[in-house]
Amino acid sequence: MVGQPSTAPLAEAPTSPLIWELLEEAPGKQQKKPQVLGHPMRYMLELYQRSADARGHPRKNRTIGATMVRLVRPLVNVARPLRGPQHIQTLDFRLRPNQVTYQLVRAIVVYRHQLHLAGFHLSCHVEPWVQKSPTNHFSSSEISSSKPSLLSKAWTEMDITQHVQQRLWNHKRHGVLRLHFMCQQQKGSEGLELLWHGTSSLDTAFLLLYFNDTHKSVQKAKLLPGGLEELMERDSSLLLQRAR
Amino acid sequence: RAGSIASKIPGPSQEHYGPESNQCSLHHFQVSFHQLGWDHWIIAPNLYTPNYCKGACSRVLRYGLNSPNHAIIQNLVNELVDQSVPQPACVPYKYVPISILLIEANGSILYKEYEDMIAQSCTCR
């Protein structure tokens, strides 16, 4: 199977839920570790350090609000210049089919709202892509807040949970969330066209999906209060009576 | 006969029955994800401490092992009725989760809390 590690012990317990998850998520061992550098990795490392200690124990005071967070990077798209001072980069985020056991609780797009390219300062924002729509803007109900990202002052986080849930979340196949990353030069427009050549791999935005596990195992019931162990505390003769 | 066994059950204030080193207990054990063959996609943590339970579940289950009633009965059955019925085994009682940061095959980065990954205490059952 694609992505199945070659470690033999994993194959011995195919019915274990953990093993199935790992088989789905792990890249094949023969593949090199996917290289994810830059701001996405830095963001997730900081998220991890805030949420767990060095031994991997979840911190009691963690504020992550979810048991799983997936950072999705956009598929590479080439920016296309427009007339005037604006440039648009199309960002496609490929979303996995909705797993019944996980509930989406939050979707955040993190993007650079300030960009510096070859001495030019650009202001950027993110908008949804809706086919054949005259006005491609997030409605006030689709976004709840924008705030500076913890990454740096040049980054902003925008909550688009409702937008994702309404349009994409109940699909059973892979869906694509398409956003437009739009930038314009703050002063003048000369040279902007040249700037965007080769910026397809620029680290401009990524998507964060927060999930809670709805299929957690039921908390085990406590031992019956009238159990034998309690009786042993009092008197072994009582135990003798029960055994009879 | 049950009474002769019951009379040997130590209470909470009494000393443990038998040499403690052989009794069912939690053992610290640490592995790296490299040893498990998963280091090509797990970013953090570097080390993982699953621990394990090992030791004898004596015919008299000491107080504090959190053994269910069934384990006590099974011990009696093994002792008094049918020796082919096995004695209870030393296994984990409580677990705690760990958080893992990993890279998926498509380049996405995943933070996930996995339940029941570390044994925290043991029981005979």
Side-chain angles (χ1 to χ4, degrees):
Chain A
M1 286 174 62
V2 172
Q4 183 174 5
S6 58
T7 311
L10 292 179
E12 292 172 3
T15 57
S16 161
L18 172 63
I19 299 301
W20 275 120
E21 286 185 27
L22 294 173
L23 287 173
E24 279 179 7
E25 290 163 4
K29 190 166 166 72
Q30 61 276 13
Q31 298 174 17
K32 274 189 175 179
K33 192 171 183 175
Q35 291 295 317
V36 182
L37 304 171
H39 290 90
M41 179 60 81
R42 207 175 105 199
Y43 190 99
M44 290 302 281
L45 281 171
E46 285 183 14
L47 183 147
Y48 183 86
Q49 284 165 3
R50 286 199 313 269
S51 306
D53 63 23
R55 293 175 299 168
H57 299 154
R59 296 185 192 276
K60 287 182 183 172
N61 58 352
R62 64 193 186 281
T63 56
I64 194 174
T67 55
M68 183 167 83
V69 182
R70 177 174 277 120
L71 184 149
V72 183
R73 301 176 74 219
L75 298 174
V76 173
N77 281 292
V78 179
R80 58 184 176 89
L82 290 178
R83 292 178 190 174
Q86 260 197 352
H87 273 247
I88 293 181
Q89 194 176 36
T90 303
L91 304 176
D92 287 341
F93 297 91
R94 193 172 165 84
L95 304 180
R96 291 162 62 154
N98 183 23
Q99 292 175 279
V100 178
T101 54
Y102 288 99
Q103 180 191 14
L104 178 72
V105 293
R106 207 156 37 126
I108 307 277
V109 59
V110 185
Y111 63 94
R112 285 182 188 254
H113 67 94
Q114 293 174 8
L115 208 52
H116 304 289
L117 285 174
F120 292 97
H121 295 266
L122 304 171
S123 287
C124 307
H125 66 280
V126 165
E127 285 186 0
W129 177 87
V130 179
Q131 196 169 15
K132 295 178 184 175
S133 169
T135 54
N136 284 350
H137 297 285
F138 283 113
S139 67
S140 57
S141 63
E142 286 180 318
I143 56 169
S144 58
S145 61
S146 290
K147 62 174 187 176
S149 171
L150 297 173
L151 275 175
S152 76
K153 290 179 185 174
W155 291 75
T156 290
E157 298 183 7
M158 185 163 67
D159 191 323
I160 55 168
T161 307
Q162 227 170 355
H163 176 80
V164 172
Q165 284 177 333
Q166 283 172 2
R167 293 171 197 275
L168 287 165
W169 200 244
N170 291 323
H171 59 87
K172 293 183 180 176
R173 300 172 297 167
H174 283 277
V176 175
L177 172 67
R178 175 166 281 183
L179 300 175
H180 279 158
F181 181 68
M182 306 175 73
C183 294
Q184 67 181 36
Q185 198 170 351
Q186 289 173 357
K187 286 180 185 177
S189 61
E190 294 85 10
L192 195 59
E193 201 166 313
L194 291 173
L195 278 178
W196 284 96
H197 263 295
T199 56
S200 58
S201 58
L202 194 65
D203 212 356
T204 51
F206 50 87
L207 183 66
L208 294 170
L209 300 172
Y210 291 73
F211 300 92
N212 270 337
D213 186 358
T214 57
H215 199 249
K216 275 191 171 179
S217 57
V218 176
Q219 211 173 14
K220 293 176 185 173
K222 291 184 178 178
L223 289 171
L224 293 173
L228 294 171
E229 274 196 348
E230 271 203 26
L231 291 174
M232 280 190 270
E233 276 182 74
R234 303 171 204 165
D235 191 348
S236 58
S237 62
L238 280 172
L239 175 62
L240 176 60
Q241 286 178 9
R242 281 199 165 246
R244 285 175 184 164
Chain B
R1 285 182 293 171
S4 68
I5 297 170
S7 65
K8 290 173 186 158
I9 298 170
S13 58
Q14 296 175 17
E15 296 205 356
H16 294 304
Y17 177 79
E20 190 149 333
S21 58
N22 292 339
Q23 296 300 302
C24 175
S25 59
L26 185 70
H27 294 253
H28 176 83
F29 189 77
Q30 195 172 64
V31 294
S32 69
F33 286 109
H34 174 73
Q35 288 173 295
L36 293 174
W38 294 346
D39 58 321
H40 63 290
W41 57 288
I42 290 183
I43 304 164
N46 291 326
L47 298 172
Y48 166 38
T49 311
N51 299 327
Y52 64 92
C53 293
K54 184 179 175 184
C57 287
S58 60
R59 54 196 280 266
V60 178
L61 298 173
R62 61 180 172 85
Y63 182 84
L65 258 184
N66 299 300
S67 292
N69 297 336
H70 181 273
I72 299 168
I73 296 299
Q74 188 155 330
N75 243 345
L76 289 173
V77 169
N78 169 269
E79 176 83 12
L80 304 174
V81 180
D82 185 353
Q83 284 187 353
S84 70
V85 173
Q87 286 180 307
C90 180
V91 294
Y93 175 63
K94 277 190 180 171
Y95 300 94
V96 291
I98 62 163
S99 299
I100 292 180
L101 192 66
L102 58 93
I103 298 180
E104 296 183 301
N106 61 5
S108 296
I109 309 172
L110 189 69
Y111 165 92
K112 191 166 180 179
E113 294 175 10
Y114 286 95
E115 293 289 332
D116 303 337
M117 288 287 280
I118 297 175
Q120 196 181 44
S121 62
C122 303
T123 185
C124 286
R125 66 189 301 166

mmCIF file of all heavy atoms in Angstrom, chain B residues 101-122:
data_model
loop_
_atom_site.group_PDB
_atom_site.id
_atom_site.type_symbol
_atom_site.label_atom_id
_atom_site.label_comp_id
_atom_site.label_asym_id
_atom_site.label_seq_id
_atom_site.Cartn_x
_atom_site.Cartn_y
_atom_site.Cartn_z
ATOM 1 N N LEU B 101 4.286 15.138 16.613
ATOM 2 C CA LEU B 101 4.327 16.029 15.453
ATOM 3 C C LEU B 101 4.928 15.218 14.312
ATOM 4 O O LEU B 101 6.016 14.660 14.448
ATOM 5 C CB LEU B 101 5.198 17.251 15.745
ATOM 6 C CG LEU B 101 5.104 18.409 14.749
ATOM 7 C CD1 LEU B 101 3.721 19.037 14.796
ATOM 8 C CD2 LEU B 101 6.163 19.460 15.047
ATOM 9 N N LEU B 102 4.222 15.136 13.205
ATOM 10 C CA LEU B 102 4.705 14.293 12.113
ATOM 11 C C LEU B 102 4.440 14.943 10.761
ATOM 12 O O LEU B 102 3.626 15.852 10.639
ATOM 13 C CB LEU B 102 4.041 12.921 12.196
ATOM 14 C CG LEU B 102 2.513 12.847 12.152
ATOM 15 C CD1 LEU B 102 2.002 12.633 10.746
ATOM 16 C CD2 LEU B 102 2.001 11.717 13.046
ATOM 17 N N ILE B 103 5.181 14.441 9.782
ATOM 18 C CA ILE B 103 5.004 14.907 8.402
ATOM 19 C C ILE B 103 4.279 13.823 7.627
ATOM 20 O O ILE B 103 4.684 12.664 7.636
ATOM 21 C CB ILE B 103 6.363 15.177 7.724
ATOM 22 C CG1 ILE B 103 7.109 16.282 8.448
ATOM 23 C CG2 ILE B 103 6.170 15.575 6.266
ATOM 24 C CD1 ILE B 103 8.459 16.590 7.837
ATOM 25 N N GLU B 104 3.217 14.231 6.941
ATOM 26 C CA GLU B 104 2.480 13.264 6.139
ATOM 27 C C GLU B 104 3.119 13.143 4.756
ATOM 28 O O GLU B 104 3.944 13.961 4.355
ATOM 29 C CB GLU B 104 1.018 13.697 6.023
ATOM 30 C CG GLU B 104 0.324 13.702 7.386
ATOM 31 C CD GLU B 104 -1.142 14.067 7.283
ATOM 32 O OE1 GLU B 104 -1.438 15.171 6.795
ATOM 33 O OE2 GLU B 104 -1.969 13.244 7.710
ATOM 34 N N ALA B 105 2.698 12.120 4.035
ATOM 35 C CA ALA B 105 3.307 11.839 2.743
ATOM 36 C C ALA B 105 3.138 12.995 1.760
ATOM 37 O O ALA B 105 3.992 13.238 0.906
ATOM 38 C CB ALA B 105 2.709 10.558 2.156
ATOM 39 N N ASN B 106 2.049 13.763 1.912
ATOM 40 C CA ASN B 106 1.806 14.866 0.967
ATOM 41 C C ASN B 106 2.457 16.173 1.422
ATOM 42 O O ASN B 106 2.215 17.216 0.831
ATOM 43 C CB ASN B 106 0.296 15.073 0.789
ATOM 44 C CG ASN B 106 -0.399 15.452 2.090
ATOM 45 O OD1 ASN B 106 0.241 15.647 3.118
ATOM 46 N ND2 ASN B 106 -1.726 15.542 2.054
ATOM 47 N N GLY B 107 3.250 16.119 2.492
ATOM 48 C CA GLY B 107 3.942 17.312 2.956
ATOM 49 C C GLY B 107 3.204 18.083 4.045
ATOM 50 O O GLY B 107 3.748 19.044 4.596
ATOM 51 N N SER B 108 1.969 17.701 4.346
ATOM 52 C CA SER B 108 1.262 18.353 5.443
ATOM 53 C C SER B 108 1.950 18.005 6.752
ATOM 54 O O SER B 108 2.572 16.955 6.884
ATOM 55 C CB SER B 108 -0.197 17.900 5.490
ATOM 56 O OG SER B 108 -0.889 18.298 4.338
ATOM 57 N N ILE B 109 1.807 18.891 7.728
ATOM 58 C CA ILE B 109 2.378 18.648 9.044
ATOM 59 C C ILE B 109 1.233 18.436 10.012
ATOM 60 O O ILE B 109 0.264 19.203 10.017
ATOM 61 C CB ILE B 109 3.235 19.844 9.514
ATOM 62 C CG1 ILE B 109 4.243 20.224 8.436
ATOM 63 C CG2 ILE B 109 3.973 19.498 10.805
ATOM 64 C CD1 ILE B 109 4.990 21.514 8.742
ATOM 65 N N LEU B 110 1.349 17.400 10.814
ATOM 66 C CA LEU B 110 0.238 17.030 11.689
ATOM 67 C C LEU B 110 0.667 17.020 13.142
ATOM 68 O O LEU B 110 1.680 16.421 13.485
ATOM 69 C CB LEU B 110 -0.266 15.639 11.301
ATOM 70 C CG LEU B 110 -1.565 15.170 11.958
ATOM 71 C CD1 LEU B 110 -2.747 15.977 11.446
ATOM 72 C CD2 LEU B 110 -1.794 13.688 11.687
ATOM 73 N N TYR B 111 -0.108 17.703 13.973
ATOM 74 C CA TYR B 111 0.022 17.584 15.428
ATOM 75 C C TYR B 111 -1.143 16.726 15.879
ATOM 76 O O TYR B 111 -2.294 17.003 15.550
ATOM 77 C CB TYR B 111 -0.056 18.961 16.097
ATOM 78 C CG TYR B 111 -0.297 18.882 17.598
ATOM 79 C CD1 TYR B 111 0.760 18.863 18.490
ATOM 80 C CD2 TYR B 111 -1.597 18.816 18.117
ATOM 81 C CE1 TYR B 111 0.539 18.784 19.865
ATOM 82 C CE2 TYR B 111 -1.819 18.727 19.483
ATOM 83 C CZ TYR B 111 -0.755 18.711 20.353
ATOM 84 O OH TYR B 111 -0.974 18.619 21.703
ATOM 85 N N LYS B 112 -0.841 15.676 16.638
ATOM 86 C CA LYS B 112 -1.930 14.795 17.045
ATOM 87 C C LYS B 112 -1.690 14.218 18.429
ATOM 88 O O LYS B 112 -0.554 13.865 18.763
ATOM 89 C CB LYS B 112 -2.065 13.658 16.036
ATOM 90 C CG LYS B 112 -3.323 12.829 16.197
ATOM 91 C CD LYS B 112 -3.543 11.981 14.976
ATOM 92 C CE LYS B 112 -4.791 11.153 15.121
ATOM 93 N NZ LYS B 112 -5.038 10.327 13.924
ATOM 94 N N GLU B 113 -2.744 14.163 19.220
ATOM 95 C CA GLU B 113 -2.665 13.543 20.548
ATOM 96 C C GLU B 113 -3.168 12.107 20.433
ATOM 97 O O GLU B 113 -4.326 11.885 20.077
ATOM 98 C CB GLU B 113 -3.495 14.342 21.554
ATOM 99 C CG GLU B 113 -2.937 15.743 21.793
ATOM 100 C CD GLU B 113 -3.821 16.600 22.690
ATOM 101 O OE1 GLU B 113 -4.777 16.066 23.278
ATOM 102 O OE2 GLU B 113 -3.548 17.808 22.797
ATOM 103 N N TYR B 114 -2.290 11.173 20.740
ATOM 104 C CA TYR B 114 -2.644 9.754 20.682
ATOM 105 C C TYR B 114 -2.908 9.259 22.101
ATOM 106 O O TYR B 114 -2.069 9.370 22.983
ATOM 107 C CB TYR B 114 -1.515 8.944 20.050
ATOM 108 C CG TYR B 114 -1.391 9.112 18.556
ATOM 109 C CD1 TYR B 114 -0.517 10.036 18.016
ATOM 110 C CD2 TYR B 114 -2.144 8.330 17.690
ATOM 111 C CE1 TYR B 114 -0.407 10.189 16.640
ATOM 112 C CE2 TYR B 114 -2.036 8.472 16.313
ATOM 113 C CZ TYR B 114 -1.170 9.413 15.803
ATOM 114 O OH TYR B 114 -1.059 9.557 14.443
ATOM 115 N N GLU B 115 -4.107 8.704 22.264
ATOM 116 C CA GLU B 115 -4.494 8.206 23.585
ATOM 117 C C GLU B 115 -3.777 6.898 23.910
ATOM 118 O O GLU B 115 -3.332 6.175 23.013
ATOM 119 C CB GLU B 115 -6.011 7.951 23.613
ATOM 120 C CG GLU B 115 -6.869 9.213 23.513
ATOM 121 C CD GLU B 115 -6.800 10.044 24.775
ATOM 122 O OE1 GLU B 115 -6.574 9.478 25.849
ATOM 123 O OE2 GLU B 115 -6.952 11.272 24.658
ATOM 124 N N ASP B 116 -3.673 6.629 25.207
ATOM 125 C CA ASP B 116 -3.212 5.301 25.677
ATOM 126 C C ASP B 116 -1.857 4.891 25.108
ATOM 127 O O ASP B 116 -1.664 3.771 24.676
ATOM 128 C CB ASP B 116 -4.250 4.218 25.330
ATOM 129 C CG ASP B 116 -5.624 4.524 25.904
ATOM 130 O OD1 ASP B 116 -5.697 5.285 26.889
ATOM 131 O OD2 ASP B 116 -6.619 4.006 25.368
ATOM 132 N N MET B 117 -0.916 5.800 25.149
ATOM 133 C CA MET B 117 0.390 5.506 24.567
ATOM 134 C C MET B 117 1.461 5.177 25.608
ATOM 135 O O MET B 117 2.483 4.603 25.274
ATOM 136 C CB MET B 117 0.870 6.702 23.734
ATOM 137 C CG MET B 117 0.113 6.877 22.433
ATOM 138 S SD MET B 117 0.542 5.649 21.192
ATOM 139 C CE MET B 117 2.081 6.326 20.574
ATOM 140 N N ILE B 118 1.234 5.585 26.847
ATOM 141 C CA ILE B 118 2.236 5.354 27.893
ATOM 142 C C ILE B 118 1.548 4.655 29.058
ATOM 143 O O ILE B 118 0.515 5.126 29.556
ATOM 144 C CB ILE B 118 2.855 6.677 28.375
ATOM 145 C CG1 ILE B 118 3.608 7.350 27.228
ATOM 146 C CG2 ILE B 118 3.776 6.463 29.570
ATOM 147 C CD1 ILE B 118 4.153 8.731 27.572
ATOM 148 N N ALA B 119 2.131 3.541 29.509
ATOM 149 C CA ALA B 119 1.586 2.858 30.678
ATOM 150 C C ALA B 119 1.999 3.626 31.923
ATOM 151 O O ALA B 119 3.175 3.955 32.105
ATOM 152 C CB ALA B 119 2.108 1.426 30.735
ATOM 153 N N GLN B 120 1.015 3.901 32.778
ATOM 154 C CA GLN B 120 1.286 4.713 33.970
ATOM 155 C C GLN B 120 1.251 3.876 35.252
ATOM 156 O O GLN B 120 1.864 4.208 36.254
ATOM 157 C CB GLN B 120 0.247 5.835 34.062
ATOM 158 C CG GLN B 120 0.626 6.951 34.995
ATOM 159 C CD GLN B 120 -0.450 8.014 35.065
ATOM 160 O OE1 GLN B 120 -1.629 7.702 35.153
ATOM 161 N NE2 GLN B 120 -0.049 9.261 35.018
ATOM 162 N N SER B 121 0.490 2.795 35.227
ATOM 163 C CA SER B 121 0.418 1.903 36.383
ATOM 164 C C SER B 121 0.023 0.508 35.899
ATOM 165 O O SER B 121 -0.385 0.341 34.752
ATOM 166 C CB SER B 121 -0.599 2.416 37.405
ATOM 167 O OG SER B 121 -1.881 2.439 36.829
ATOM 168 N N CYS B 122 0.183 -0.460 36.811
ATOM 169 C CA CYS B 122 -0.052 -1.864 36.435
ATOM 170 C C CYS B 122 -1.118 -2.505 37.303
ATOM 171 O O CYS B 122 -1.432 -2.022 38.392
ATOM 172 C CB CYS B 122 1.242 -2.661 36.560
ATOM 173 S SG CYS B 122 2.593 -2.003 35.587
#
